[in-house]
Amino acid sequence: MEQQLGHPRRWQILGVLVFSLLAVVLDNTILNVALKTIADPGEGLGASQSQLEWAINSYTLVFAGLLFTFGVIGDRTGRRRMLMVGMVLFGLASLASAYAQDPMQLIVARAFMGIGGAAIMPATLAIISNVFPPQERGKAIGVWAGGVGLAVAIGPITGGLLIEHFWWGSVFLINLPIVLVSMVLIGLVVPESRDPHPSRLDPVGVILSIVGLVAVTYGIIRGGELATIADAEVLVPTILGVVVLGVFVWYEHRIDHPAFDVRYFRDPRFATAVGMVGIVFFAMMGAMFFLVFYLQIVLGFSALQAGALMIPFAAAQLIFAPLSQQMAARFGGRLTATVSMVIVAGALAAYSLMDQHTPILVLEIVFFVQGAAMANIMPPATTAIMEALPREKAGVGSAMSNTVRQVAGALGVALLGSLLSATYRDQIAPALTGLPEGLRHVAGESLTGTLGVAQGLGERGAALIEPAKLAFVEGMHITALVSAAIALVGALVVLRWLPGRFSGTSAPRGVDRETEPAVV
């Protein structure tokens, strides 16, 4: 009976889970605002653009690689317990990140934060799916997504305030009070739940996936640093990563307890929704990476002002995410998602028209429209993913959704960041002619590198500032157009394969709910 009516305290439980998720989401949005400061050799750690990319991607790749393992451990040992363990790990790693002494220490500490995040994220959606009945699950996921939107809204402005008044490490210390309060609330409110038929772990699959993804990402980022794909330092890790990922897929096909069960992709609703999530986050994360530097360096806003400028994007998600299920119910999931993807593509393309003189009002409108469109993509996609799986495999659905999202986001930062870096190098090179080789190399790495060299050259350096900004804007234009093209491909995929309307849960074709083996 409880399965039909849901847990009597399900809405309080949802509130606690949304609050618990604040730390994970808040951290990523705060970090974006702090990137410029961390890159500063005086105020921050003097991180290069590739090191900044790794500070983001070390978290996301570890997070993605461990989601399935922690999902199945949570299904086996208890999801509330896993949530508590994740909070402890996330809090300790946040502390280590705050007091990192160099970029490498920050990258390692962020990787440990990814371990904690991987324990937290799948547990939240799995618990939601277990305490809410099917008829309320879509609304609950909409509220959950709205909570994520709230964290996105709070993140930039909080990060800006912290950077203005404290040192850069404060953007990680802010996680600690959230973690402590969450642990108390989880212990008091959230019930324990488990999978009645827990699956076995797949350590080989996990190791293969992490090695493959890290190798591919390293090759992509290195290609951006060297501005070529023909160098052995680019080709060897990239090819190795692709081969390892191929072995991973082959291995997952052959075992009965795979970390990534491809059978669920037989359901077009599931496969298209997962692909939609991946494409959106690939394009969005790559775009967000260049927006930080565009707002703070090209347009000259402070960290606090840049954070405030991002509020329309987050506010739109906060407003529209809870209403997204109604949109999908009225117009159908396919039409809603397709139109939203086209709007996202249009917003990304709009960045290719922006320069040093773009009015603030135009920026704010684009941010708001992009946020509103994304709010009508993520909740229906998440609902489609969760509905395509049996209820007791809720942790698997959550893990698959978040794995694709994090991997796509990491690849977006790596690939689009590398494209931005390579374009910038080409555009700034003529302005650096005549500088000593060592300075020319440092100045050609990134916009922050050029400005750092310019500061030490006096009047001669002042002449580099305008060409540097123009070179960055040109790189941003190209990166934005590629992002928009990827989002348009996503719209075509959704239009072709996403079912029109969502209904009750259904097993993937060829998968028997009663006889299917337990999967991670």
Side-chain angles (χ1 to χ4, degrees), residues 175-374:
N175 294 332
L176 297 184
I178 299 174
V179 166
L180 293 173
V181 173
S182 294
M183 290 177 67
V184 173
L185 293 176
I186 291 166
L188 293 174
V189 178
V190 177
E192 188 60 279
S193 64
R194 294 178 176 83
D195 186 343
H197 307 291
S199 59
R200 288 182 288 160
L201 297 176
D202 175 22
V204 175
V206 170
I207 292 171
L208 287 172
S209 65
I210 292 178
V211 170
L213 288 170
V214 169
V216 168
T217 304
Y218 176 84
I220 292 171
I221 293 176
R222 192 67 180 136
E225 288 182 303
L226 299 174
T228 178
I229 60 171
D231 194 280
E233 289 187 57
V234 178
L235 289 174
V236 171
T238 303
I239 293 172
L240 175 65
V242 170
V243 170
V244 171
L245 290 175
V247 173
F248 166 75
V249 172
W250 172 82
Y251 179 78
E252 297 302 283
H253 270 289
R254 294 181 62 85
I255 62 172
D256 61 2
H257 56 285
F260 199 86
D261 191 345
V262 295
R263 293 180 306 163
Y264 290 114
F265 285 87
R266 297 172 188 166
D267 186 331
R269 173 178 53 179
F270 179 87
T272 306
V274 168
M276 181 166 61
V277 168
I279 289 170
V280 166
F281 270 82
F282 181 96
M284 187 196 75
M285 290 298 290
M288 293 297 284
F289 187 78
F290 68 65
L291 277 176
V292 174
F293 298 96
Y294 173 66
L295 292 174
Q296 293 189 41
I297 296 181
V298 176
L299 297 186
F301 292 108
S302 68
L304 177 58
Q305 291 169 331
L309 286 171
M310 296 302 296
I311 288 178
F313 173 82
Q317 292 202 43
L318 185 62
I319 293 167
F320 291 102
L323 305 175
S324 60
Q325 294 298 327
Q326 297 174 30
M327 293 286 290
R330 181 172 181 180
F331 299 106
R334 176 166 50 209
L335 179 61
T336 301
T338 301
V339 171
S340 297
M341 290 286 281
V342 171
I343 293 173
V344 167
L348 292 169
Y351 296 129
S352 70
L353 303 175
M354 295 180 182
D355 56 25
Q356 294 168 268
H357 310 292
T358 299
I360 298 302
L361 180 60
V362 173
L363 266 174
E364 298 296 80
I365 290 172
V366 172
F367 288 162
F368 186 84
V369 169
Q370 184 180 348
M374 286 195 62

